[in-house]
Amino acid sequence: MLIRRPSDVLPSEITPRDVFLNRRQFMATAAGSALLAGEAVAALKTVPSRYSASEKPNSLKEITSYNNFYEFGTSKEDPAANAGRLKTKPWQIVVEGEAGKPRIFGLEDLLKLAPLEERIYRLRCVEGWSMVIPWVGIPLSSLLKQVAPTGNAKFVSFETLNDPKQMPGLLTRVLDWPYREGLRMDEAMHPLTILAVGLYGEVLPNQNGAPVRLVVPWKYGFKSIKSVVQIRLQAQQPQTSWNQAAPEEYGFYSNVNPAVAHPRWSQASERRIGEFFKRKTLPFNGYADQVASLYQGMDLKKYF
Ligand SMILES: Nc1nc2c(c(=O)[nH]1)N[C@H]1C(S)=C(S)[C@@H](COP(=O)(O)O)O[C@H]1N2
Ligand SMILES: [Mo]
């Protein structure tokens, strides 16, 4: 889903500001790792979940060093290198729109809404690779119920933080920022849809979308928006960053579907990070029993 590779950027496009930011970013990363070593990392108290896949998770190293988070750069190594400067405390999520009780949630409020569960989920990136990740999180439904959605709430939109001082990738125009995603209301309320605040029992590493990110395991990875600051209930289907960037390639639904090829490559198989041979991609990423009924009667070639 790369539109513009870093190697396509001409040296003339690198401004003194970029050079300045790169130096700052180097210092921020150095400071960040010192902090990590010094600070006791909060272990999250979790209960196991009946929704976990019975597959061996990828290693912490794999999960935290091969990422997509374009706000920190477009290559897989960029988020681990650059996300150290993201300030995740304090953090607020504004939940508004078609809601009887719109509200601003601090991260602490979120943790009180439901028991934190460990959910081992497959993540299938639209680029053709996959991982298995032991998330820690709560159902998104437990947050949405708090704001009392009105009868007009048919869709939910999500936005990532939009601060170029913390996110150097925002200075490039690879996407229309802030990163935006959306779900239909029934998808958002589905028990498989979670807000993740951790992985491997610890708070989320910045490169994985700290302090809170969406995870929708039956959809391509880009639907699982990171570092969320705004959630809006609305009557209309939201515009999303990837659909806006390339509507023929990335539909609103983006359910994992081996039968519908991306215009430039097949989606029939995938490479699990750490494995050599490819696997067959499963309909709805292996969650068909739980979610196929949401799309009954819809032409999934049209609503891709
Ligand atoms: N804000 C934001 N969220 C994002 C992205 C991004 O670039 N920005 N990338 C998406 C893509 S393409 C994938 S595959 C997953 C990757 O999540 P992970 O790095 O935690 O494995 O995050 C998704 N969420
Ligand atoms: Mo992705």
Side-chain angles (χ1 to χ4, degrees):
M1 57 199 305
L2 210 60
I3 287 176
R4 200 156 181 257
R5 293 168 184 283
S7 56
D8 298 338
V9 178
L10 301 169
S12 60
E13 290 182 82
I14 300 172
T15 65
R17 182 169 166 77
D18 292 331
V19 175
F20 167 75
L21 285 172
N22 278 330
R23 183 160 347 105
R24 283 230 341 216
Q25 156 189 331
F26 169 75
M27 294 187 305
T29 312
S33 33
L35 208 99
L36 251 183
E39 191 186 60
V41 188
L44 298 168
K45 231 180 139 182
T46 62
V47 295
S49 172
R50 67 187 191 92
Y51 295 106
S52 282
S54 51
E55 273 181 295
K56 189 175 162 287
N58 280 88
S59 69
L60 180 64
K61 180 93 206 285
E62 287 164 337
I63 294 168
T64 57
S65 59
Y66 190 89
N67 302 97
N68 272 333
F69 200 167
Y70 277 22
E71 287 86 337
F72 295 101
T74 52
S75 74
K76 298 287 175 277
E77 304 76 31
D78 285 342
N82 302 334
R85 63 160 70 178
L86 176 66
K87 188 171 171 262
T88 59
K89 267 184 235 176
W91 193 268
Q92 290 188 326
I93 306 186
V94 177
V95 188
E96 60 183 17
E98 290 292 342
K101 300 182 201 164
R103 210 182 121 182
I104 299 173
F105 291 84
L107 195 68
E108 326 69 50
D109 306 323
L110 217 74
L111 301 183
K112 285 179 214 143
L113 294 178
L116 285 177
E117 288 178 32
E118 179 174 84
R119 299 255 187 130
I120 301 170
Y121 278 170
R122 296 174 209 96
L123 180 138
R124 169 59 157 82
C125 179
V126 73
E127 296 163 331
W129 50 269
S130 65
M131 285 203 209
V132 177
I133 303 178
W135 301 111
V136 175
I138 59 165
L140 174 63
S141 65
S142 61
L143 175 85
L144 296 179
K145 281 175 195 157
Q146 290 287 317
V147 301
T150 72
N152 294 330
K154 304 287 186 234
F155 294 91
V156 189
S157 76
F158 303 85
E159 281 186 19
T160 294
L161 180 71
N162 186 17
D163 181 359
K165 288 201 235 25
Q166 300 182 58
M167 299 170 142
L170 296 177
L171 300 172
T172 67
R173 260 164 270 158
V174 278
L175 284 174
D176 187 51
W177 311 110
Y179 195 99
R180 273 168 282 123
E181 258 311 331
L183 295 173
R184 214 169 57 188
M185 194 63 182
D186 58 344
E187 299 175 324
M189 295 300 286
H190 193 279
L192 281 175
T193 304
I194 61 169
L195 286 174
V197 296
L199 62 83
Y200 267 115
E202 304 285 349
V203 295
L204 268 187
N206 286 1
Q207 59 265 43
N208 295 92
V212 52
R213 59 90 60 84
L214 184 70
V215 184
V216 193
W218 70 94
K219 293 180 181 279
Y220 290 116
F222 66 89
K223 299 293 285 184
S224 292
I225 180 172
K226 296 178 170 181
S227 306
V228 174
V229 292
Q230 190 208 66
I231 298 178
R232 193 185 299 120
L233 296 156
Q234 53 191 67
Q236 305 301 327
Q237 181 174 303
Q239 182 57 274
T240 67
S241 294
W242 280 108
N243 181 247
Q244 190 177 345
E248 325 71 34
E249 302 188 13
Y250 312 111
F252 174 76
Y253 285 92
S254 292
N255 293 317
V256 174
N257 191 344
V260 175
H262 181 280
R264 292 183 280 142
W265 60 82
S266 162
Q267 293 289 23
S269 65
E270 67 200 55
R271 196 174 68 82
R272 180 69 50 83
I273 297 301
E275 291 181 359
F276 182 75
F277 292 105
K278 284 192 166 183
R279 299 171 170 246
K280 274 194 166 156
T281 288
L282 300 170
F284 298 106
N285 202 22
Y287 300 92
D289 287 352
Q290 294 101 306
V291 300
S293 62
L294 298 177
Y295 310 100
Q296 214 147 40
M298 283 175 70
D299 178 355
L300 296 181
K301 288 200 160 66
K302 185 172 173 213
Y303 297 101
F304 62 95

